Amino acid sequence: MGGQDDPSLGEALISLVLIAGAGVLVPATVVLPLIGLGIWIAHLVRRRRR
C-alpha cells in the first residue's frame, strides 16, 4: 500500500467495471442461448404432439 505500483483510482474503477462486465457477459452468452434452445425444443415437441 502506498507504493509506486499502486493503481490510481481511475484505473481501479476501470478494471472493476471490466471485470464486472465480463462477469455478466460471459454467463449471459451461455445461459441465453440455452434458454432459447429450450424454448425451441419445447415448440418442436408441442408441434409434433398435435
Side-chain angles (χ1 to χ4, degrees), residues 1-49:
M1 286 234 188
Q4 294 291 333
D5 294 337
D6 284 351
S8 69
L9 183 60
E11 291 174 339
L13 287 174
I14 290 171
S15 62
L16 183 66
V17 167
L18 290 176
I19 292 169
V24 170
L25 291 177
V26 171
T29 57
V30 174
V31 170
L32 292 178
L34 288 177
I35 292 172
L37 186 64
I39 292 170
W40 181 68
I41 289 174
H43 180 71
L44 287 179
V45 168
R46 285 185 177 185
R47 190 167 33 165
R48 285 189 180 179
R49 286 186 178 172

